[in-house]
Amino acid sequence: LVWGCWSLPMLLLAFLTFFLGAWRPGYVISPPQGSYLGDFFKALWGAVRCLDNKKPSDGKGMRCFERLKGIPGMPSDRLLDEFRMMLITSSIFLPFSLFWFANSQMYSWGYNQCNPALKISGWVDCNQIQIMNSLAILVTIPIFDFGLYPLLAKFRVRLTHIHKISAGMVIMGCCLLIMGGLQSYINKQGYYSGPSSTSYVYYDPENYKEHQASVYWQVPIFWLSGVAEVVGNIATLELAYVGSPPSMKSLVMAFGLMTSCGGAIIGFIVNPFYTSSRSIYFQYVTGAITVLMGPTIWFFWRNLRTGRDLMPELFEENLKAVIRTGSMGSLVGQGGGSLMEFRGSLKTSMDGKPGGYEMGSKNAMEALTSLQGSLKKSIQEEGEEEGEE
């Protein structure tokens, strides 16, 4: 069973690599084509230094980045606006770190609770009961996407991303509250003589099996944690992804994954104080705080305006530019030789050969901007020459 669990993912990945690369040709490995991280940290450092261009605000948030426009050495105004809209939309990630703290601690606290206080039944032990989380994710995603959400929409119940994120936090908190309730029952049957869970001693060691709870009492805990991930985590990533400019998608997803890091940092601070005898307090307090964080998120972010809401023109222009770097069809009539060379360079990269531009990459976007600038300049010069004649 152990060898099967470890070898099956390896075999699936090996088959997938073969399927995409050999059996079904078309899998293209594109080399890195520039990164926005350098510009982002440059702008971030400028904001920390409180650089100011002394210009009036446009009233769209992240004023510290807006003040950098026009300052020598800073990124372009367009790129600064994209950074602003990305950060405004990604602000929901800040409180969501608590979600991952509760989720990650559930596994370690759940194992400590199970071993040795719960009765092992059949093939399910204290480790295997936790697969209910993964099973719940696999089962719940199609049920929610094709059943629950369309049903609610049919009855005109409009669920926003903020509603789902808040609900996910509440469900995750309830998981820890249920765990705390189970721990209360365990504490009534015995006590911990030391800091480890293995120090558990029954008050009635001769008849303890009559009152010992089953490991299956942890099924709803880990099942609901999977539901919380489907409801809350997916909605968080969707909101940030949809509300951020097209060229910022990779940075947004990186920030989303950093919420796990935030949860780990909270655990790094909290866990040194954890012992099995104190576990019930950790479970109840963390569960209560996580539940309360749900309505708190709704209250403070219910009127969240994403980057798409604040600057729709930025999204349209950016998306057209990203598409244009791939096809260049709308500029073919204007380009001349330089444009045709740029389109050929893009095609070379998309064919998987080195030396070209990848569609939508930083290098391609900068090349397109430069090319458009030279085209405008040439058109203006032609107009001035005609005017002189």
Side-chain angles (χ1 to χ4, degrees):
L1 180 60
V2 174
W3 277 105
C5 292
W6 282 103
S7 59
L8 182 60
M10 179 189 67
L11 294 174
L12 288 175
L13 287 174
F15 173 75
L16 183 63
T17 304
F18 170 76
F19 177 77
L20 293 176
W23 189 10
R24 186 177 178 179
Y27 182 71
V28 178
I29 301 177
S30 299
Q33 294 287 327
S35 172
Y36 289 106
L37 277 178
D39 291 326
F40 175 74
F41 285 114
K42 185 187 298 182
L44 187 62
W45 178 239
V48 172
R49 293 163 58 197
C50 299
L51 299 181
D52 194 348
N53 56 12
K54 306 299 182 182
K55 294 181 180 179
S57 173
D58 59 10
K60 295 181 179 179
M62 294 300 295
R63 174 67 173 151
C64 56
F65 274 73
E66 186 188 4
R67 292 192 184 103
L68 303 178
K69 289 184 177 181
I71 295 179
M74 288 294 112
S76 65
D77 292 356
R78 177 190 66 82
L79 194 54
L80 287 172
D81 282 335
E82 290 180 11
F83 288 151
R84 292 169 64 200
M85 298 304 103
M86 175 192 67
L87 291 174
I88 290 173
T89 307
S90 301
S91 62
I92 192 66
F93 290 147
L94 292 175
F96 205 71
S97 293
L98 180 62
F99 178 95
W100 289 117
F101 166 71
N103 182 275
S104 61
Q105 296 308 306
M106 191 181 316
Y107 291 95
S108 58
W109 294 350
Y111 182 84
N112 290 336
Q113 181 184 73
C114 176
N115 183 33
L118 298 182
K119 178 169 40 177
I120 305 303
S121 302
W123 61 273
V124 178
D125 60 21
C126 297
N127 284 314
Q128 293 165 339
I129 196 67
Q130 298 180 0
I131 65 171
M132 290 296 137
N133 173 275
S134 303
L135 183 61
I137 293 175
L138 294 175
V139 172
T140 307
I141 288 177
I143 292 177
F144 277 44
D145 286 349
F146 301 107
L148 181 60
Y149 293 153
L151 181 64
L152 292 175
K154 186 176 181 180
F155 286 97
R156 298 182 180 180
V157 178
R158 182 176 175 269
L159 287 179
T160 65
H161 288 92
I162 302 301
H163 287 137
K164 296 176 183 178
I165 295 169
S166 301
M169 292 291 289
V170 171
I171 296 172
M172 183 59 70
C174 289
C175 295
L176 287 174
L177 293 179
I178 296 173
M179 182 177 289
L182 181 57
Q183 188 65 46
S184 298
Y185 177 82
I186 292 173
N187 288 354
K188 290 181 180 180
Q189 309 303 320
Y191 65 95
Y192 295 97
S193 60
S196 173
S197 63
T198 56
S199 65
Y200 184 75
V201 178
Y202 289 95
Y203 290 128
D204 186 7
E206 295 181 358
N207 302 311
Y208 75 94
K209 290 187 178 181
E210 297 180 4
H211 307 286
Q212 189 180 26
S214 172
V215 67
Y216 290 109
W217 279 104
Q218 287 191 337
V219 168
I221 297 173
F222 292 104
W223 184 274
L224 286 177
S225 69
V227 175
E229 291 187 43
V230 172
V231 175
N233 184 42
I234 293 178
T236 305
L237 297 177
E238 282 181 353
L239 176 63
Y241 190 86
V242 172
S244 297
S247 55
M248 296 287 110
K249 302 301 186 186
S250 58
L251 276 180
V252 168
M253 301 311 291
F255 288 152
L257 294 175
M258 284 180 64
T259 56
S260 299
C261 176
I265 292 174
I266 299 174
F268 180 78
I269 298 172
V270 171
N271 282 335
F273 304 97
Y274 176 87
T275 62
S276 294
S277 58
R278 300 174 184 169
S279 60
I280 188 170
Y281 305 111
F282 281 79
Q283 293 159 8
Y284 274 129
V285 172
T286 305
I289 293 175
T290 308
V291 168
L292 292 175
M293 184 57 70
T296 301
I297 289 176
W298 176 84
F299 181 81
F300 286 102
W301 276 269
R302 68 186 187 278
N303 296 321
L304 173 67
R305 299 183 66 192
T306 66
R308 188 177 294 275
D309 301 322
L310 294 171
M311 289 187 171
E313 71 285 354
L314 178 67
F315 279 68
E316 294 172 3
E317 293 175 1
N318 186 269
L319 183 59
K320 290 177 182 178
V322 170
I323 297 174
R324 206 170 287 156
T325 60
S327 64
M328 303 301 294
S330 60
L331 297 176
V332 169
Q334 308 174 18
S338 60
L339 179 59
M340 298 303 294
E341 291 174 2
F342 180 62
R343 185 177 63 170
S345 182
L346 280 167
K347 185 178 184 302
T348 300
S349 177
M350 294 173 68
D351 289 340
K353 300 177 182 178
Y357 294 105
E358 180 185 0
M359 182 179 69
S361 67
K362 181 176 183 290
N363 291 355
M365 298 292 287
E366 290 178 350
L368 175 63
T369 302
S370 176
L371 180 60
Q372 289 173 332
S374 61
L375 288 173
K376 289 180 181 179
K377 184 177 180 181
S378 63
I379 293 173
Q380 289 176 355
E381 291 175 352
E382 290 178 2
E384 291 175 358
E385 292 176 357
E386 292 177 358
E388 291 177 357
E389 293 177 358

